[in-house]
Amino acid sequence: MAVRLLVLICEPFQWIQMLCKELNTSFVLGVVTVYGFNQGFSGSLFRVVSDYYWKDVQKIQPSTVQLYVGFYYIPWIMKPVWGLLTDIFTVKGYHRRPYFVISGILGVVSALSVALVNVQFMPAFMALICLIGVTASMAIADVTIDACIAKNSIQMPSLASDMQSLCGFCTSVGALIGFSSSGMFVHQLGAKGALGLLALAPILLIMLGFFIYESRSSRPSNQKATTEKVVGAMNGMYKTIKYPQVWKPSLYMHLSLALSISTHEGQFYWYTDPKAGPAFSQEFVGMIYAIGAVASIAGVLIYHKLLKDYYSFRKLLFFAQLLYGFSGMLDLTFVLRWNLKLGIPDYFFVIFEECVSRIVNRLRWMPMIVLSTKLCPLGIEGTFFALLMCIDSLGQLSSKWSGGLVLHLFHVTRSDFTNLWLVMVIKNALRFSTLALIFLVPKADQYEVLVPPDLLKGENLMNSEEEEETIQLVAMNEKMEAMEGSSLRER
């Protein structure tokens, strides 16, 4: 028994060690930094604190907040633009370093502006601009790691699922820490004060920009060559997206997200309402999300241990979507307060609902991300993966805005939740309707190559020759050796 327990404890560390050996330790550290700290911790804190900011500070109606939250996805929709900038346009000969620093500065300025400026001088529109700046900081930093993941997935397809498991695990652990502390921060600092903590992760991005190792390009900037690269990248993306093996699953992923309308703000206002809802406290709301983050880790482990090697994309996504539809019935049960008729307290039921929802969401999202990495051609893998994520972000934006429209049409306001249950019915019906689109997903196993061989060779996708770059987070002694060598050569 003790030996088995020891094996279970050591297994995650052995898995990390294997990834470091196969993929390079620098790559693993990069994933931890961007996915764990920037998206996991900061993203979860942002979600809770911004909800309370709109509700308690700006006093906005839930349907309007849904509209505002939709704008958060605009920087993610622009990921192909960030990808082109970092792939093609250099700053003093560097492709990546300056953009980490720029994204970090953008995040720090945006977070501190909304946190420190008095609300009398910060109308809702200006606050929205600042919060979009925070999400833009996350999106720009995310592009480089996504490009590395896509390229490694093509070169080592057997590890594609492991890389996504690593990303999901880091995000979930970071989210666990962020959600656990978010309610306490809101209670102690207020929503405005807690927004200032969103500057912490961008500071790490600035540090990352200074410590990341990158070879400086010796080529002088050439406007004609740069234009050719942009045109070549655009032509490559157009050529790739025309293949049925690529556009069909891309269309499914977009529609599955768009049809899963979000009613989060309406439910959040109901959760915290002292009359119509269960009146959950700020600390408990954060705790709900924190427990959900633990469940999300469980979802990653279930996918990694039981699903990634045994089921095709189509079969796994079909059953994940089916479970997603059934899990939505828990929201309806809670809003109608049937749980109380069954003798189940609100606190217990909402935790159970959050756990089920987060596990199912992971089981649904992980194979879609793995599928996305397998649709990218060599040569423009970073930009094309950004394009696929842009398509997904458009689906999420549609989900937020359509959910806000439904909340508005059914007159769900800050104090009137009479028709919230009807909104839940519509949301669940749309989830089940997505099953009719499952034929767009390939039947291939998750380790198979999906794109045509000529795309994997990276031929004819770019009009101009590009030198291959390697971005590594190296140990300080390695970096110093490189700097010393460069200094000696200059002498």
Side-chain angles (χ1 to χ4, degrees), residues 43-61:
S44 59
L45 187 66
F46 177 84
R47 177 181 173 183
V48 176
V49 174
S50 62
D51 279 344
Y52 276 105
Y53 177 78
W54 293 122
K55 176 177 178 288
D56 297 336
V57 179
Q58 294 287 351
K59 301 186 184 303
I60 306 295
Q61 294 291 349

Side-chain angles (χ1 to χ4, degrees), residues 35-89:
Y35 278 89
F37 290 99
N38 191 50
Q39 294 187 33
F41 173 79
S42 189
S44 59
L45 187 66
F46 177 84
R47 177 181 173 183
V48 176
V49 174
S50 62
D51 279 344
Y52 276 105
Y53 177 78
W54 293 122
K55 176 177 178 288
D56 297 336
V57 179
Q58 294 287 351
K59 301 186 184 303
I60 306 295
Q61 294 291 349
S63 57
T64 305
V65 176
Q66 287 271 168
L67 175 65
Y68 288 173
V69 171
F71 284 107
Y72 295 167
Y73 291 99
I74 289 179
W76 297 94
I77 292 171
M78 294 177 62
K79 281 186 69 174
V81 177
W82 314 137
L84 283 172
L85 287 174
T86 58
D87 285 343
I88 297 175
F89 295 95

Side-chain angles (χ1 to χ4, degrees), residues 35 79 142 146 149-150 153 160-161 163-165 167-168 253 257 303 313 317 361-376 385 388-389 392 396 446:
Y35 278 89
K79 281 186 69 174
D142 179 68
D146 280 349
I149 293 170
S153 297
S161 300
M163 283 183 270
Q164 293 306 322
S165 297
C167 295
M253 288 186 284
L257 293 170
Y303 170 79
F313 282 114
L317 285 172
N361 265 315
R362 275 297 176 190
L363 298 182
R364 174 172 165 263
W365 180 246
M366 295 287 289
M368 286 201 288
I369 294 296
V370 175
L371 180 57
S372 295
T373 63
K374 289 182 171 291
L375 300 178
C376 300
F385 188 82
L388 295 178
M389 294 300 97
D392 289 349
Q396 292 173 316
Q446 297 182 58

Side-chain angles (χ1 to χ4, degrees), residues 172-442:
S172 297
V173 172
L176 172 61
I177 299 172
F179 282 135
S180 298
S181 56
S182 60
M184 177 191 68
F185 288 139
V186 173
H187 181 74
Q188 297 294 331
L189 305 175
K192 277 182 85 280
L195 283 173
L197 298 175
L198 295 174
L200 296 177
I203 291 174
L204 293 179
L205 292 178
I206 296 174
M207 296 172 61
L208 182 62
F210 284 104
F211 283 98
I212 196 171
Y213 178 79
E214 179 181 5
S215 299
R216 187 173 184 176
S217 175
S218 59
R219 294 183 179 183
S221 63
N222 185 309
Q223 184 175 359
K224 181 179 179 181
T226 299
T227 303
E228 289 177 351
K229 289 179 182 180
V230 174
V231 173
M234 299 297 290
N235 288 337
M237 288 192 292
Y238 176 71
K239 177 183 177 181
T240 304
I241 202 69
K242 289 194 303 181
Y243 283 91
Q245 303 98 308
V246 177
W247 71 259
K248 285 185 177 180
S250 301
L251 179 61
Y252 172 81
M253 288 186 284
H254 170 77
L255 292 177
S256 67
L257 293 170
L259 291 174
S260 301
I261 65 171
S262 171
T263 57
H264 170 75
E265 305 307 326
Q267 291 173 259
F268 173 76
Y269 278 52
W270 180 77
Y271 282 164
T272 56
D273 189 85
K275 297 179 180 179
F280 292 143
S281 65
Q282 297 164 341
E283 292 86 352
F284 187 72
V285 169
M287 189 57 60
I288 292 172
Y289 294 145
I291 295 173
V294 176
S296 185
I297 297 174
V300 172
L301 294 176
I302 291 171
Y303 170 79
H304 178 73
K305 300 292 291 184
L306 303 177
L307 303 177
K308 70 182 180 70
D309 295 325
Y310 305 105
Y311 297 95
S312 67
F313 282 114
R314 181 178 294 184
K315 181 178 291 186
L316 182 53
L317 285 172
F318 174 82
F319 285 107
Q321 187 66 34
L322 186 64
L323 288 174
Y324 189 55
F326 282 118
S327 67
M329 300 303 294
L330 294 175
D331 290 327
L332 179 62
T333 300
F334 192 36
V335 169
L336 291 174
R337 312 309 296 274
W338 288 347
N339 61 295
L340 296 179
K341 296 180 180 179
L342 295 173
I344 305 175
D346 288 335
Y347 288 87
F348 178 83
F349 190 86
V350 72
I351 290 174
F352 174 75
E353 183 273 330
E354 180 71 10
C355 289
V356 171
S357 176
R358 294 294 286 272
I359 289 174
V360 172
N361 265 315
R362 275 297 176 190
L363 298 182
R364 174 172 165 263
W365 180 246
M366 295 287 289
M368 286 201 288
I369 294 296
V370 175
L371 180 57
S372 295
T373 63
K374 289 182 171 291
L375 300 178
C376 300
L378 280 175
I380 55 168
E381 63 277 348
T383 304
F384 194 79
F385 188 82
L387 174 65
L388 295 178
M389 294 300 97
C390 162
I391 294 172
D392 289 349
S393 296
L394 278 171
Q396 292 173 316
L397 183 146
S398 300
S399 169
K400 287 291 184 180
W401 283 357
S402 57
L405 177 62
V406 172
L407 288 171
H408 178 74
L409 291 176
F410 284 85
H411 306 290
V412 177
T413 66
R414 291 173 55 87
S415 56
D416 186 358
F417 305 96
T418 306
N419 295 324
L420 183 59
W421 71 274
L422 288 173
V423 175
M424 299 292 102
V425 171
I426 294 173
K427 180 179 74 171
N428 293 336
L430 289 173
R431 287 184 179 184
F432 284 112
S433 70
T434 307
L435 293 170
L437 304 172
I438 200 66
F439 69 93
L440 295 170
V441 179

